[in-house]
Amino acid sequence: MQNKEGEPVKRPHYPLIIAACALVGLIPIMIGVGTNAAWIHTIDQSVINVITAHRPDWLTTIVLFITSLGNPPVVVFFGLVLVGILFYFRRRRYAWFAAVSVVLLSFVNTSVKHLFLRQRPFVQNPNIHPLTLAGGYSFPSGHASGAMLLYGTVILLTLTLITLPWLRRLLVSYSAVMIGLIGLSRIYVQVHFPTDVLAGWLEALVGLMLVWWLMYPWLTEVGPTGWVNDQK
């Protein structure tokens, strides 16, 4: 695999650095949740008290809409739309990257949930009345993970493929805001603990960065014509 100068394509270091930093944050949370550590409950309750202190009706309506954008079927749908757009513009290798990162990595979250079997806040405490329906286990948050996978992929593709500065800023800013808002919305509607959300973000970030690092030489390979061979 070669770049435009005919040299072998080297994998960048930053995806591994980001993945390692995410793991440094994720592993203690996993251990804390797995051992039912007191510090996990302290963090969760402190953040919950701040986020749920004031929930006016108008804000709840907005948050319920935002949290619906993180529903797994919605994330997969927008992921497939993204894949379709990339195929349409003949960025086929990047389309396969998007499919792997958004669709396939979503199944990792389900596997981790069944490893920890953490009950949702309203199951642990019947006095909590969630603002939306939620089933299954709580840790890590599938909505937070899905948002990171979808919009993190958009950020990577934007920084790689988009050259217009204003459009790059718009897409990156929008994607970053959506990652944050969808995760926080799950705490607001009280179907996830804050550590569920943080673990979902970190888990997805690790997977996304590793896939980007592994696929990078293939994505950026240049053929004999001088064009990137993502049209094959």
Side-chain angles (χ1 to χ4, degrees), residues 2-229:
Q2 300 176 330
N3 58 22
K4 291 182 179 180
E5 287 72 34
E7 301 173 348
V9 176
K10 296 181 180 180
R11 289 186 174 93
H13 296 299
Y14 72 87
L16 290 183
I17 295 173
I18 295 173
C21 292
L23 270 178
V24 168
L26 178 61
I27 291 175
I29 296 174
M30 285 184 164
I31 294 174
V33 170
T35 60
N36 200 28
W39 64 271
I40 290 288
H41 298 288
T42 300
I43 292 175
D44 283 337
Q45 197 55 55
S46 299
V47 176
I48 288 172
N49 289 341
V50 172
I51 293 180
T52 64
H54 302 286
R55 295 191 293 181
D57 291 341
W58 65 268
L59 180 58
T60 296
T61 300
I62 295 174
V63 173
L64 286 173
F65 172 72
I66 291 172
T67 205
S68 70
L69 297 178
N71 291 343
V74 177
V75 170
V76 171
F77 170 77
F78 281 115
L80 293 175
V81 169
L82 176 61
V83 169
I85 292 173
L86 290 167
F87 268 116
Y88 177 79
F89 285 103
R90 302 183 68 184
R91 296 291 186 172
R92 297 176 184 175
R93 296 195 179 193
Y94 289 99
W96 284 115
F97 163 73
V100 170
S101 60
V102 177
V103 180
L104 294 184
L105 284 181
S106 297
F107 292 102
V108 174
N109 180 265
T110 301
S111 301
V112 177
K113 280 179 180 286
H114 284 85
L115 179 64
F116 286 87
L117 303 178
R118 190 185 198 186
Q119 298 294 337
R120 293 185 182 272
F122 57 86
V123 175
Q124 294 189 27
N125 183 0
N127 292 322
I128 293 176
H129 302 289
L131 301 181
T132 189
L133 297 176
Y137 297 108
S138 189
F139 181 87
S141 167
H143 280 62
S145 177
M148 178 62 75
L149 291 175
L150 174 61
Y151 292 106
T153 297
V154 172
I155 290 174
L156 287 172
L157 294 176
T158 295
L159 295 177
T160 303
L161 302 176
I162 303 297
T163 57
L164 291 174
W166 69 268
L167 185 56
R168 284 162 61 100
R169 288 194 295 268
L170 176 63
L171 290 175
V172 170
S173 299
Y174 172 77
S175 298
V177 168
M178 290 305 298
I179 291 170
L181 289 182
I182 288 175
L184 294 175
S185 73
R186 304 307 283 172
I187 305 170
Y188 182 96
V189 299
Q190 293 194 278
V191 296
H192 275 295
F193 295 103
T195 47
D196 297 337
V197 171
L198 182 56
W201 283 332
L202 294 174
E203 166 202 68
L205 185 58
V206 170
L208 183 62
M209 288 295 102
L210 289 179
V211 170
W212 181 252
W213 182 78
L214 288 170
M215 296 183 69
Y216 187 84
W218 180 68
L219 292 172
T220 56
E221 178 188 3
V222 176
T225 61
W227 295 94
V228 174
N229 283 337

